[in-house]
Amino acid sequence: MGEPESEGIADAYRFYYKGITDAKVLEDATDGRIIGRWKVKFREPKPGFAVE
């Protein structure tokens, strides 16, 4: 069974990379696992208007 077809709705979404925060290294208090945590910032495309 395939994906349902959509009419008039885009099946792709664009976004652009803006930046990233510094990584934080954390240790889990219960089992000692070490993880890294950071945030990535994106932006939506700037709207445009074209006249032909």
Side-chain angles (χ1 to χ4, degrees):
M1 184 175 273
E3 295 282 325
E5 293 185 27
S6 59
E7 293 183 24
I9 299 174
D11 59 356
Y13 183 78
R14 293 183 184 202
F15 54 93
Y16 299 93
Y17 171 81
K18 282 184 75 173
I20 192 168
T21 61
D22 291 335
K24 295 179 184 177
V25 178
L26 306 168
E27 183 177 350
D28 190 345
T30 58
D31 62 2
R33 289 188 292 174
I34 296 176
I35 60 168
R37 178 187 230 175
W38 64 90
K39 293 181 182 179
V40 180
K41 295 181 182 180
F42 296 98
R43 72 167 177 84
E44 294 181 9
K46 295 179 181 173
F49 183 72
V51 178
E52 294 183 22

